[in-house]
Amino acid sequence: MSEAKVLTPVQTPETGGRQTPQPCAMVIFGASGDLTERKLVPALYYLSRAKLLPDGFSVIGCAKTQYNNDSFRAKMQEGVKKYLNVSSSDNPILDAFTRDIHYIADDFGDPAAYGQLKDLLDKLDRERGTGGNRLFYLATPPSFFPIIVNHLGAVGLAQPKELGKNWTHIVIEKPFGRDLDSARELNRIVTSVFKEDQIYRIDHYLGKETVQNLLVFRFGNGIFEPFWNRRYIDHVQITVAEEIGVENRGAYYEEAGLVRDMIQNHVLSLLSLIAMEPPAIFNATAVRDEKSKVMRAVRPIDLDHLAEAAVRGQYVEGWCNGERMPAYRSEPKVSPQSTTETFAALKLYIDNWRWADVPFYVRSGKRLPKRVSEINIRFRPAPHLLFKGTSTTEIRGNHLSIHIQPNEGMSLRFNAKIPATTMQIRPVTMEFRYEDAFGHAVPTTAYETLLLDCMVGDSMLFTRADFVDLAWELITPLLDRWQEDGRKGMSFYEAGTWGPPEADAFIDRDGRKWQEL
Ligand code: BG6
């Protein structure tokens, strides 16, 4: 079964003008969970090894599980070894890194634990020179977000220790709310304790190299913009597929489902970057303004013709890589009658001059045949078939595939003459692979960039409140409708297949096909 990406830490310190963060302490709430072990601590280790963390940088893990500093450090070391390619010669670096990790057992509701946290942060300021700079990271189940935020406010940890001299930032994991009302309520609570410029709503897809490169590809090159519109583009497909099931996250997933977990955030972020107008300048406000404008233009999903707009599915038993996989309903902490979707496909339209009537087909699912995220831009065919009377009967439109992960890169398919004395045409592909162009694969998990960004106060790759709100405005009516419908309209697919047959029929109906991946 495919695991989180295995990384090779950089061999030499990274350069390139990145601003080094000021010394600071990072507090991770939910430190015994999957995200901390799998992504956050490996990302921090990667940064530490690349010498990108500030002097004195320290981590405090907070969670319910009863660890002490030593047992928590040991668990974090295990995680780093499991998720990164760490050789034995790295052990001293890993030891030094984990020495600066501390642990506080806390059920998130006990004011005394926040007092203890405050004392430890003050101690780190004195002993490690963290200077009163604090980064709080909420990696707990979403229901704890308001509780933690309120406690941080009550104990006086929400504001910089000395205004103007140091900073306090808070990172909030997704999903930010579970529908429009709860997202607005959470936003109200968070903004009553923290100011907007202290808040970093994270969507780790925005930190992926290939996703950041979408902006450079579109706006750092002069030749693509003229055909990036309805005149030349027939439709766009966005696929975010995973081979893994829900693993040990059944309880969370039952509450969330695929659309809340992947589409409301990651997939809509990709869509906004593909569809946005060029910002006037490259800063957080300008880029986020343009992303929000796209979301504002997405046509509401037509619930009166739901089958044409959306498909939902759930996996049943099947085979993945020669292994028999259980049905979603047999996964731990999942109801045997669950109607939670593990697959969804939507057809979205963006009602503006650039994209009017161009469908954006998006799909995402768990237990699909492989882990692959890809954006396909399908261009219209040549307007006039010139090569009639030759053995070529059909000339297909060009398409650009943006490989977000794995095999990061892009490929452009166009038609070429087969070398021969006859006129025969077939599609060929021009490729850009990170590995070939830069001599190594994309090295990071996305969290590295994002963690540094929120330490230096750069919010460009984080989601602003208005985007979250607009995304929920789009998605909530659909989720409400599915909730009302229960089992009605739910399709099933065997684990290890590309979703329910209805997902193929969904796009076939428009005379199109999903990209083979
Ligand atoms: C997370 C979802 O946000 O993204 C997970 O909660 C999912 O369910 C993960 O597995 C996928 O991230 P990546 O970076 O592995 O594609």
Side-chain angles (χ1 to χ4, degrees):
M1 188 53 40
S2 77
E3 215 4 300
K5 187 173 173 183
V6 175
L7 302 172
T8 309
V10 284
Q11 299 304 311
T12 50
E14 189 178 330
T15 52
R18 182 176 253 291
Q19 189 188 339
T20 307
Q22 292 166 338
C24 62
M26 175 171 172
V27 181
I28 305 176
F29 292 95
S32 60
D34 225 37
L35 181 73
T36 305
E37 182 182 350
R38 204 182 257 249
K39 305 265 187 182
L40 298 181
V41 170
L44 290 172
Y45 171 71
Y46 177 96
L47 292 174
S48 150
R49 195 183 186 290
K51 303 199 179 353
L52 290 169
L53 287 178
D55 292 340
F57 180 78
S58 307
V59 176
I60 304 173
C62 297
K64 281 188 202 169
T65 318
Q66 292 295 328
Y67 291 109
N68 57 32
N69 284 343
D70 288 339
S71 55
F72 185 64
R73 286 171 188 157
K75 178 177 156 67
M76 293 302 107
Q77 284 211 0
E78 265 170 46
V80 170
K81 286 181 181 158
K82 183 162 161 199
Y83 296 110
L84 296 181
N85 260 341
V86 179
S87 70
S88 52
S89 63
D90 286 328
N91 282 344
I93 311 176
L94 185 54
D95 286 341
F97 165 72
T98 41
R99 251 197 312 276
D100 299 324
I101 299 184
H102 308 260
Y103 188 77
I104 294 178
D106 172 16
D107 67 1
F108 311 124
D110 176 10
Y114 292 86
Q116 199 188 337
L117 174 63
K118 194 170 189 217
D119 292 344
L120 180 53
L121 284 166
D122 287 341
K123 183 167 174 257
L124 293 173
D125 285 346
R126 289 191 305 275
E127 294 177 2
R128 306 263 313 142
T130 43
N133 298 316
R134 278 115 200 224
L135 180 65
F136 296 110
Y137 197 113
L138 306 194
T140 61
S143 52
F144 290 109
F145 295 169
I147 300 170
I148 298 169
V149 165
N150 281 328
H151 275 290
L152 289 174
V155 77
L157 279 173
Q159 296 308 321
K161 216 173 146 193
E162 281 179 77
L163 262 175
K165 290 212 169 148
N166 36 48
W167 52 262
T168 297
H169 295 162
I170 183 162
V171 183
I172 304 180
E173 262 297 336
K174 53 150 276 278
F176 193 92
R178 66 179 320 275
D179 55 18
L180 184 57
D181 289 345
S182 57
R184 284 187 176 162
E185 175 58 9
L186 176 60
N187 204 45
R188 192 192 59 72
I189 294 171
V190 178
T191 52
S192 69
V193 176
F194 292 90
K195 296 200 182 72
E196 180 64 30
D197 63 4
Q198 294 181 281
I199 305 168
Y200 293 76
R201 297 171 194 82
I202 195 164
D203 171 346
H204 77 279
Y205 267 58
L206 292 171
K208 289 184 189 282
E209 278 294 337
T210 42
V211 175
Q212 293 184 61
N213 190 46
L214 291 174
L215 289 181
V216 178
F217 175 72
R218 288 196 55 205
F219 307 129
N221 296 293
I223 60 169
F224 304 118
E225 179 57 18
F227 56 73
W228 208 258
N229 57 51
R230 64 192 302 273
R231 185 152 177 225
Y232 295 98
I233 295 180
D234 174 73
H235 73 280
V236 176
Q237 296 185 17
I238 302 178
T239 302
V240 178
E242 291 188 278
E243 193 184 338
I244 53 170
V246 291
E247 303 188 297
N248 52 3
R249 297 164 77 213
Y252 156 75
Y253 209 82
E254 278 285 88
E255 283 288 302
L258 188 284
V259 170
R260 286 189 180 90
D261 189 46
M262 299 297 284
I263 292 193
Q264 188 271 344
N265 29 71
H266 304 325
V267 173
L268 292 182
S269 289
L270 295 178
L271 177 130
S272 67
L273 292 171
I274 287 295
M276 70 193 262
E277 295 301 316
I281 41 172
F282 190 57
N283 70 19
T285 305
V287 170
R288 300 197 297 178
D289 282 351
E290 294 306 335
K291 286 175 58 201
S292 293
K293 268 165 53 189
V294 174
M295 282 314 300
R296 210 163 282 125
V298 178
R299 190 185 300 170
I301 296 168
D302 182 357
L303 299 180
D304 293 335
H305 301 94
L306 193 53
E308 285 155 43
V311 172
R312 64 181 163 139
Q314 190 189 78
Y315 61 83
V316 296
E317 255 191 359
W319 292 90
C320 287
N321 283 331
E323 249 186 275
R324 190 83 185 145
M325 292 300 160
Y328 173 68
R329 290 176 177 181
S330 312
E331 300 275 15
K333 302 200 177 143
V334 169
S335 153
Q337 282 85 40
S338 174
T339 54
T340 302
E341 80 285 356
T342 59
F343 174 95
L346 309 182
K347 178 162 69 166
L348 299 171
Y349 286 97
I350 299 171
D351 286 335
N352 61 19
W353 279 51
R354 187 188 285 267
W355 296 114
D357 299 327
V358 175
F360 284 70
Y361 298 94
V362 305
R363 62 176 169 166
S364 181
K366 297 269 187 208
R367 283 269 191 261
L368 301 187
K370 53 171 135 159
R371 175 176 184 260
V372 56
S373 296
E374 196 163 305
I375 300 170
N376 286 280
I377 314 285
R378 298 293 189 98
F379 295 96
R380 293 184 189 283
H384 167 64
L385 184 56
L386 185 62
F387 306 101
K388 284 181 197 148
T390 66
S391 45
T392 304
T393 51
E394 184 205 12
I395 300 187
R396 281 187 282 161
N398 307 117
H399 78 238
L400 175 72
S401 298
I402 303 172
H403 311 291
I404 302 293
Q405 62 188 24
N407 305 323
E408 289 79 1
M410 291 187 188
S411 41
L412 179 67
R413 199 187 66 175
F414 56 97
N415 299 306
K417 179 181 175 300
I418 302 174
T421 52
T422 53
M423 175 57 86
Q424 285 184 66
I425 297 174
R426 80 161 170 81
V428 293
T429 304
M430 212 157 72
E431 300 262 4
F432 149 54
R433 295 264 169 238
Y434 277 70
E435 212 158 350
D436 302 333
F438 302 114
H440 53 79
V442 173
T444 66
T445 60
Y447 278 91
E448 296 80 358
T449 305
L450 296 173
L451 287 170
L452 286 182
D453 281 358
C454 56
M455 287 178 208
V456 299
D458 180 353
S459 54
M460 182 170 327
L461 299 178
F462 292 82
T463 313
R464 209 168 55 189
D466 57 337
F467 187 95
V468 176
D469 204 87
L470 290 161
W472 280 124
E473 224 171 82
L474 174 70
I475 292 298
T476 303
L478 174 71
L479 293 173
D480 288 348
R481 173 64 178 275
W482 280 350
Q483 167 104 21
E484 266 167 42
D485 286 355
R487 167 79 177 74
K488 195 175 102 203
M490 164 73 85
S491 310
F492 294 88
Y493 61 101
E494 279 182 26
T497 64
W498 283 106
E502 286 80 352
D504 291 329
F506 173 75
I507 189 166
D508 284 356
R509 209 182 292 136
D510 295 347
R512 302 182 174 108
K513 294 246 171 280
W514 291 113
Q515 172 73 22
E516 272 182 36
L517 299 169

